[in-house]
Amino acid sequence: MTGQASSGVERLVAETDALFELSSKEWLLRKKGFRKGSKSIQINETLLTVGNGYLNIRGSLEELPPGHCGGMYLSGIYDKSEADVEELVKCPMWTDVSVWYEDEKFCLSCSRALEHEQVLDMKKGILHRRTTFKNSHGKILTLETSRLVFMHDAHRGYMRVRITPVNFSGQIRVLSGLNGEVFNRGFFPHEQYKHLQLEKIERGRNFMYLEMKTRERGIRIAEAASWKMMNGQERRRRWEPRIYGEKFTSEITIDASQGESYTFEKLAVVMTNRDVPVDRANNMIREAICNLRCYVRTGAPVEIKRHIDVWRNLWSRADVRIEGDDAAQQALRYNIYQLLINGPSKPGPIGAKFLSSEGYMGHVFWDTEIFILPFYIHNFPSMARNILMYRCNTLPGAIRNAEKSGYDGARFAWESATTGEDVTPRFASKLEKTIRLIYTGAEEDHIVSDVIYGVERYFRVTGDESFLLHCGLEMVFLTARFWASRVTKVGEHYEIHKVIGPDEFHEHVNNNAYTNWLVKWHLRLATMLFRHVGKTAPEALRELAGKISLADDEPEHWLDISRRLKFTQDPETGLVEQFDGYFDLKDYVIGHPDRFGHPVLPPGVNYRNIGRTRLIKQADVLLMMLLFPHCFSVEEKKVNYDFYEPRTAHKSSLSHCTYAMMGLAVSERANAYRYFMKTALFDLENLHNNTELGIHAASVGGSWQAVIHGFAGLTLKSDRIVLTPWLPKKWKRLSFRVRWRERDVHLDITHSEVSIRIDAVSDVTLPCTLYGQNYKIRTNKPYTLQYCPSK
Ligand code: IFM
């Protein structure tokens, strides 16, 4: 190698070094130390996931120590094979690396760790690792890695590896490749499902290529990578690419000198046949290699710079600053980071565990529309649209669900994957320890209206008429038709029998308040939209009516059902009965929490008999009041809060954020803050002891909502902004911005002022209600109003 070329390489290394410089500490999530065989290995893998919403990679250690559960997941790639139902497929890995000296691998489980740390830089979306191993022969070596998947180009990833033999010189082998020997976890311990079969494995002078196909749907996943030594090339003795079965390994042997560092880099491309035009999809190797060549030509530093620029923009859009409470700020940042690495740039599913693991098999629940979607609606409307488009595209599956259960219209699946047909497993999910039949797929029908709630909220905040006319209306009408066939007429009234509400401790119940209230609203909305669009876009309505054979009198029938659907609330106290007969159940309240602060079930109550008690799993009536805040008075909310809060076991990650926001609504502020911190720290502190199985995406979205809708008290209506901020004492300032119908709303709240500025293309005056008082806000002008929450 010439001196000139080698100085070019040094420059490249220095350039990436500069780009990889760590951000300041408030942007870092640090995980220090390593405990062999402990659960923390997998918990850290979940927490340290990097991604871009198309492809996400768990933060596994490159040498994959025993007990690891590394994995890469691609949005929307599901397969069934021997599994009970379709599940998110673990894809071939490209981030595995192993370093050997004299037939001994440097691995955290067999070498001593003199130091070990993984650092997630949330500002840049990069995961770093630094480990100094001492092997059984006393050889000390430092391994440093950095990995990322690009935000500006979802198909590309990058990894840099640096090794330094600290107290020895000699031949070191560094291996990395493409690993197709990957399995999903099975239902029982040690059971595994194989979802992929080998299609093609090839090597060229500068690349390796692996193509695998999902066994059921035949989706082809292509991975191409270049793996090379960057500096110290003259030290390279051998480069041996090897293919073992479904694994490609590229082995580089170097003559290493004590104290010198050697840097390697891997450029990877990942795509599926779904990502390329049909006529090119039968030549995936060509697609992937072309892409890789182009990537190699551009060079990593240019790509990394672009990636960091995109991250800068994402944070400038979505960051929320809390001054005075570092713990809250750090936790919220982490949750926003999770939302950012899972935002879909194309229509596609968002599962209850995001793309962080196979937990809940990657399925999509109501978590998406009720808990996760609002962040995207208020920050990245096009991503929100993509989330809803997934539901729209799976309407045919929802129609089949309705048909299969003997109803009309469309019934969104309780658990959804590729087609929208219900994929709820028949037996208890892997997250629960016991095996029992699951009824949620047959009975948890509130999902149907939860999706529509998401549609309405999206439309209200964005005003996206085209989505409404081309997708939303059809979703609203077909699901309204489902309810019209699902209700039971009892005398002059309608009822909904045999459901499970959000509280899943009680199955086969009649007239769950949350469900019935949502259905009332949904049917009314359907009728109103029918009338409204009949006037504003009659042609579009006529076309849709023809497509779904909508009879003229159907909408009026929906309104009639809405009016006469049962809903039970004590007229004197305002207390809502969660379902028929709930008040007749044995009464218990949750006693003192355990030493971790978790609610403890009263003596004698267990998961087999809990359905005979008034104890509930998660917010139910309270969530209804949160979603429809203007339909219930503060007194009604308080009565229900006081009743249900001591009876809620919070055995779901969806519960705490609801109690945080409802706590603020009824001035239970200390409690609200406590619940907020639980939500915000849900995975960071492994609150439910199952973070190894993936991120709790609903609590991630819920913690953002608790700050924006809860503490800032922000509601965006179609024509006005409503604000009721209240800040905890130690929060000196809360500031953020949200998107509202092509405008940017900037809010800055302190204990004395509420500052608001609405940036817009044109100057207009918009109404804003603060603590119930109306103001007129001119766009592009700053306003400072008084902060004065009720005592
Ligand atoms: O959707 C939730 C449900 O409400 C409670 N069990 C877990 C599901 C997925 O998060």
Side-chain angles (χ1 to χ4, degrees):
M1 184 179 262
T2 65
Q4 216 181 5
S6 95
S7 76
V9 167
E10 298 302 340
R11 207 188 52 242
L12 280 183
V13 173
E15 249 181 276
T16 28
D17 274 348
L19 292 167
F20 283 166
E21 208 163 278
L22 287 184
S23 304
S24 50
K25 80 173 192 311
E26 68 272 21
W27 292 97
L28 306 179
L29 176 65
R30 291 181 177 273
K31 291 285 164 192
K32 265 197 172 85
F34 178 82
R35 280 195 296 130
K36 275 182 209 170
S38 81
K39 230 167 111 168
S40 63
I41 303 177
Q42 295 185 16
I43 295 172
N44 289 348
E45 287 177 344
T46 299
L47 293 175
L48 301 173
T49 298
V50 291
N52 55 30
Y54 167 79
L55 92 80
N56 288 20
I57 307 178
R58 283 166 70 78
S60 46
L61 297 165
E62 288 74 11
E63 72 273 28
L64 304 180
H68 83 92
C69 191
M72 178 174 92
Y73 302 96
L74 296 183
S75 173
I77 305 298
Y78 295 96
D79 182 72
K80 181 171 177 305
S81 297
E82 285 82 29
D84 188 20
V85 289
E86 263 198 330
E87 58 181 6
L88 191 65
V89 173
K90 185 178 281 190
C91 294
M93 292 293 288
W94 59 268
T95 50
D96 309 350
V97 178
S98 59
V99 182
W100 297 72
Y101 178 69
E102 289 182 346
D103 292 332
E104 188 172 341
K105 176 164 126 174
F106 288 94
C107 171
L108 273 173
S109 60
C110 46
S111 315
R112 246 180 74 203
L114 302 184
E115 58 164 339
H116 169 67
E117 188 176 33
Q118 285 176 289
V119 185
L120 177 66
D121 188 333
M122 298 185 277
K123 194 172 184 183
K124 301 180 181 173
I126 304 176
L127 176 63
H128 304 278
R129 174 231 180 132
R130 182 184 162 92
T131 307
T132 300
F133 305 93
K134 184 174 189 181
N135 79 5
S136 63
H137 295 97
K139 300 287 184 269
I140 300 177
L141 176 133
T142 299
L143 169 71
E144 292 160 283
T145 65
S146 299
R147 77 164 77 135
L148 63 147
V149 290
F150 291 127
M151 218 17 137
H152 63 286
D153 186 339
H155 298 283
R156 292 177 180 175
Y158 178 78
M159 180 168 64
R160 200 181 67 172
V161 177
R162 180 171 291 163
I163 57 165
T164 313
V166 178
N167 65 350
F168 69 102
S169 300
Q171 279 193 10
I172 296 179
R173 292 181 298 133
V174 188
L175 280 70
S176 188
L178 296 173
N179 182 5
E181 269 174 29
V182 287
F183 304 88
N184 277 55
R185 296 181 212 231
F187 189 85
F188 296 105
H190 308 300
E191 195 186 12
Q192 292 184 319
Y193 298 132
K194 185 163 168 48
H195 287 293
L196 298 171
Q197 65 191 41
L198 184 66
E199 277 288 288
K200 201 175 260 168
I201 186 159
E202 278 191 24
R203 75 183 175 99
R205 221 157 51 89
N206 297 313
F207 71 84
M208 41 186 142
Y209 180 77
L210 174 73
E211 184 175 324
M212 300 197 79
K213 193 163 92 171
T214 60
R215 290 171 57 208
E216 219 196 4
R217 293 190 185 274
I219 304 165
R220 276 177 295 134
I221 301 164
E223 294 187 12
S226 106
W227 166 236
K228 67 168 199 240
M229 190 166 175
M230 291 185 74
N231 65 346
Q233 287 270 14
E234 64 284 358
R235 294 297 189 145
R236 197 178 90 187
R237 282 184 68 111
R238 269 196 306 278
W239 172 58
E240 290 163 297
R242 298 207 190 98
I243 290 172
Y244 305 98
E246 299 177 328
K247 221 171 170 171
F248 193 117
T249 308
S250 175
E251 179 174 327
I252 299 177
T253 306
I254 52 170
D255 272 329
S257 294
Q258 181 175 341
E260 270 187 25
S261 296
Y262 303 92
T263 307
F264 303 79
E265 72 168 14
K266 191 163 190 177
L267 279 63
V269 166
V270 179
M271 49 175 56
T272 76
N273 59 311
R274 290 182 173 183
D275 304 318
V276 299
V278 189
D279 56 327
R280 301 204 320 244
N282 55 3
N283 198 351
M284 289 306 293
I285 183 164
R286 191 163 170 274
E287 294 293 319
I289 299 298
C290 271
N291 192 320
L292 181 67
R293 282 214 180 103
C294 179
Y295 177 10
V296 171
R297 261 198 310 277
T298 316
V302 173
E303 297 285 8
I304 298 168
K305 257 184 233 135
R306 289 181 186 154
H307 165 85
I308 293 175
D309 282 349
V310 176
W311 268 99
R312 191 175 304 116
N313 287 338
L314 291 175
W315 279 114
S316 77
R317 162 93 267 145
D319 194 22
V320 176
R321 279 168 305 279
I322 300 173
E323 273 177 35
D325 187 347
D326 292 349
Q329 172 73 83
Q330 178 88 2
L332 184 64
R333 278 254 167 80
Y334 179 74
N335 288 302
I336 298 175
Y337 166 80
Q338 280 295 335
L339 290 155
L340 295 178
I341 63 166
N342 285 285
S345 51
K346 286 188 189 159
I350 290 205
K353 298 283 174 196
F354 282 145
L355 282 176
S356 67
S357 92
E358 300 140 38
Y360 283 130
M361 286 156 273
H363 293 172
V364 186
F365 294 68
W366 68 312
D367 306 33
T368 304
E369 283 76 12
I370 299 295
F371 296 89
I372 302 166
L373 182 69
F375 167 83
Y376 297 104
I377 294 180
H378 290 81
N379 288 292
F380 305 103
S382 65
M383 292 187 189
R385 189 182 216 265
N386 285 336
I387 294 170
L388 293 171
M389 282 307 297
Y390 161 76
R391 293 295 193 183
C392 182
N393 294 342
T394 52
L395 263 179
I399 292 173
R400 284 193 290 277
N401 293 334
E403 257 165 33
K404 273 192 208 152
S405 37
Y407 300 115
D408 302 333
R411 176 177 184 242
F412 287 115
W414 175 244
E415 293 189 31
S416 179
T418 308
T419 62
E421 279 174 85
D422 194 82
V423 287
T424 309
R426 290 164 299 155
F427 303 100
S429 86
K430 294 173 214 172
L431 291 179
E432 292 168 12
K433 302 285 179 308
T434 51
I435 296 185
R436 58 175 184 82
L437 281 174
I438 293 188
Y439 296 100
T440 49
E443 298 185 8
E444 211 162 336
D445 282 341
H446 62 84
I447 175 83
V448 176
S449 296
D450 298 326
V451 172
I452 301 309
Y453 189 88
V455 169
E456 193 274 339
R457 191 186 246 198
Y458 169 76
F459 180 65
R460 192 179 349 129
V461 177
T462 64
D464 182 350
E465 298 248 349
S466 126
F467 175 79
L468 184 72
L469 292 181
H470 297 112
C471 306
L473 272 189
E474 186 175 357
M475 292 164 78
V476 175
F477 291 166
L478 286 175
T479 45
R481 181 179 279 168
F482 161 76
W483 283 120
S485 67
R486 174 72 171 83
V487 294
T488 304
K489 187 134 196 240
V490 180
E492 286 305 297
H493 290 94
Y494 290 97
E495 301 195 352
I496 303 179
H497 293 168
K498 220 170 168 213
V499 295
I500 300 177
D503 156 34
E504 294 168 339
F505 284 166
H506 297 93
E507 297 166 328
H508 330 301
V509 304
N510 292 346
N511 298 311
N512 164 256
Y514 174 94
T515 310
N516 284 24
W517 186 271
L518 231 78
V519 173
K520 270 176 174 293
W521 164 84
H522 179 167
L523 292 174
R524 197 179 137 75
L525 173 80
T527 316
M528 296 308 141
L529 279 174
F530 177 82
R531 290 182 189 165
H532 174 74
V533 178
K535 288 187 201 130
T536 56
E539 199 39 54
L541 185 64
R542 238 190 317 278
E543 207 177 294
L544 176 60
K547 179 177 171 194
I548 63 172
S549 312
L550 187 68
D552 281 351
D553 57 353
E554 242 183 297
E556 291 311 311
H557 179 50
W558 297 337
L559 189 59
D560 182 50
I561 297 173
S562 164
R563 285 186 180 135
R564 293 196 278 145
L565 186 58
K566 184 170 178 185
F567 182 77
T568 317
Q569 183 172 19
D570 187 312
E572 269 162 37
T573 63
L575 190 62
V576 174
E577 185 173 32
Q578 193 180 281
F579 53 81
D580 290 355
Y582 170 82
F583 288 144
D584 304 332
L585 299 175
K586 203 151 181 207
D587 198 18
Y588 287 96
V589 291
I590 301 285
H592 287 297
D594 67 12
R595 66 197 170 95
F596 304 108
H598 301 328
V600 177
L601 295 185
V605 178
N606 56 45
Y607 291 117
R608 276 187 301 281
N609 63 24
I610 203 160
R612 281 178 251 136
T613 77
R614 289 185 187 174
L615 292 173
I616 64 172
K617 181 176 177 183
Q618 64 203 86
D620 191 309
V621 168
L622 266 277
L623 180 58
M624 168 193 82
M625 295 190 160
L626 179 71
L627 297 184
F628 297 93
H630 306 296
C631 300
F632 301 94
S633 66
V634 174
E635 292 71 33
E636 285 173 305
K637 289 175 190 166
K638 179 81 171 107
V639 157
N640 285 278
Y641 181 96
D642 288 345
F643 180 85
Y644 285 106
E645 202 252 352
R647 292 169 178 82
T648 307
H650 300 293
K651 292 292 174 194
S652 157
S653 62
L654 285 55
S655 199
H656 309 77
C657 57
T658 305
Y659 274 96
M661 289 182 264
M662 283 307 286
L664 291 170
V666 300
S667 299
E668 286 284 346
R669 289 160 175 166
N671 250 355
Y673 180 78
R674 191 171 54 82
Y675 280 119
F676 161 67
M677 285 308 279
K678 278 192 183 295
T679 306
L681 291 167
F682 209 87
D683 287 307
L684 288 169
E685 294 203 338
N686 189 19
L687 199 77
H688 270 191
N689 207 14
N690 59 9
T691 292
E692 73 280 8
L693 296 176
I695 290 291
H696 294 81
S699 75
V700 166
S703 65
W704 179 88
Q705 290 197 53
V707 174
I708 306 303
H709 302 317
F711 293 108
L714 172 78
T715 309
L716 294 177
K717 307 212 163 199
S718 52
D719 58 348
R720 73 169 50 232
I721 297 176
V722 180
L723 280 163
T724 48
W726 176 83
L727 301 188
K729 224 187 216 143
K730 60 179 162 180
W731 290 20
K732 294 203 173 70
R733 153 173 269 129
L734 170 64
S735 45
F736 59 90
R737 64 169 162 155
V738 285
R739 197 94 188 115
W740 179 42
R741 299 191 168 224
E742 310 294 317
R743 306 169 197 126
D744 274 330
V745 180
H746 299 255
L747 279 160
D748 191 357
I749 305 161
T750 66
H751 285 276
S752 53
E753 292 171 352
V754 177
S755 307
I756 178 164
R757 199 187 72 232
I758 305 174
D759 290 345
V761 182
S762 51
D763 288 343
V764 285
T765 303
L766 296 160
C768 168
T769 308
L770 176 65
Y771 303 119
Q773 197 163 329
N774 293 330
Y775 299 87
K776 295 254 178 269
I777 302 278
R778 192 97 184 125
T779 52
N780 305 313
K781 248 185 92 178
Y783 285 80
T784 301
L785 308 172
Q786 211 190 338
Y787 172 86
C788 55
S790 59
K791 292 287 167 253

